Amino acid sequence: MPVFDSPITTDETNLKKVLGQKLPTLLLLFDSRQKNEPLEDALRREAKKNAGKLLTVRVDVSQNAKVHAEYNNLPTPAIVTITPAGFGTKVKSQAGNARTADLRAHIDHLLNDAPLAKAPLPEAKPTAKAASAPAGKAAHVNDATFKQTVLKSSQPVLVDFWAAWCGPCQVIAPYIDKAAGDYAGKVKVVKLNVDESQITAQQYNVRSIPTFILFKDGQPVQRFSGASPTQIQQMLQEAVSG
């Protein structure tokens, strides 16, 4: 296997082949119209430092929209860490609007399982109705209970696809529990562990986490990925008003 000591720039046609090197991979999604020299310099340093044990890959999403969509259109520059998994790959962590410190932290998480630091949870702006609702906990569903709890629900259901190792999932968890109480009786808010319920996660093409999918009458009607209370609040409000 060749040893790469500098970042590989590739495109949507060749990305799968590059990831076939079967090395842990740090994928940088960037927009060539936006310059970020400190991050690019850090990427080059990390590629040289970790040559032989880490693959560093760059994709210009302004020219490769399919790749950007595959990773849920994370705000650029974005970091995605990827591990070899069987005959394919698996996303281990991801971060949008990445900084140099994020690059180092995600590489350490990828190579050494170092925990990712928890960012402060942004304060949501609940409506008057939500503010007066009681606090609660989001229920947990799995492959066996998903159909009955989610697809057959008479209420809209917001599903949080998460995993125990996912830093952003842990950051957003308190807000998800609060939303479950705030919207009780209007929208079900549930959580599904993608490691424990891979069939459902694959069925809905969950490629990065946290991913949130809103179901109505058994059908997915909205989805996004990322730990954004604002987007979750908007989705819940639209579920109630729609």
Side-chain angles (χ1 to χ4, degrees):
M1 180 183 296
V3 175
F4 299 94
D5 62 358
S6 60
I8 300 169
T9 302
T10 190
D11 56 22
E12 58 194 30
T13 302
N14 296 301
L15 180 59
K16 186 175 181 179
K17 182 178 179 181
V18 172
L19 296 179
Q21 295 293 322
K22 297 298 182 182
L23 277 174
T25 301
L26 186 289
L27 174 61
L28 175 67
L29 304 176
F30 72 100
D31 188 327
S32 58
R33 297 166 296 186
Q34 304 169 342
K35 299 297 183 182
N36 193 323
E37 288 300 329
L39 188 63
E40 293 285 353
D41 288 344
L43 186 70
R44 288 189 286 269
R45 289 195 299 270
E46 292 295 337
K48 190 174 186 65
K49 175 183 175 182
N50 296 292
K53 58 182 180 180
L54 173 70
L55 201 62
T56 55
V57 180
R58 302 167 74 253
V59 173
D60 180 1
V61 296
S62 70
Q63 304 295 324
N64 297 275
K66 288 183 180 179
V67 175
H68 203 190
E70 182 176 355
Y71 295 104
N72 299 294
N73 293 305
L74 290 166
T76 57
I79 292 168
V80 182
T81 64
I82 302 169
T83 58
F87 294 101
T89 58
K90 179 178 179 180
V91 171
K92 185 169 185 179
S93 66
Q94 50 94 20
N97 295 319
R99 302 166 298 174
T100 301
D102 297 319
L103 182 73
R104 298 192 186 100
H106 282 261
I107 289 175
D108 198 20
H109 177 65
L110 175 64
L111 297 181
N112 305 311
D113 286 322
L116 291 169
K118 295 182 179 180
L121 182 64
E123 183 178 353
K125 296 180 179 179
T127 63
K129 289 183 179 179
S132 62
K137 290 283 186 180
H140 287 255
V141 296
N142 54 37
D143 287 339
T145 62
F146 189 85
K147 182 177 181 180
Q148 183 63 39
T149 304
V150 177
L151 302 185
K152 292 189 175 183
S153 174
S154 59
Q155 295 178 0
V157 185
L158 180 66
V159 183
D160 171 10
F161 291 83
W162 72 290
W165 47 263
C166 166
C169 299
Q170 303 299 332
V171 170
I172 202 67
Y175 185 81
I176 297 303
D177 282 336
K178 184 176 185 301
D182 289 347
Y183 286 86
K186 307 181 190 74
V187 183
K188 288 183 183 178
V189 180
V190 303
K191 298 167 68 74
L192 182 139
N193 187 314
V194 298
D195 287 335
E196 297 174 356
S197 299
Q198 296 184 18
I199 294 175
T200 304
Q202 291 174 6
Q203 180 181 356
Y204 292 99
N205 196 31
V206 175
R207 301 293 300 273
S208 65
I209 52 174
T211 287
F212 299 89
I213 302 180
L214 179 66
F215 290 81
K216 285 186 177 181
D217 299 320
Q219 298 297 319
V221 294
Q222 289 189 54
R223 70 184 288 159
F224 78 91
S225 297
S228 171
T230 301
Q231 288 183 284
I232 295 169
Q233 181 76 10
Q234 181 178 353
M235 184 179 286
L236 289 166
Q237 283 297 300
E238 291 177 358
V240 171
S241 60

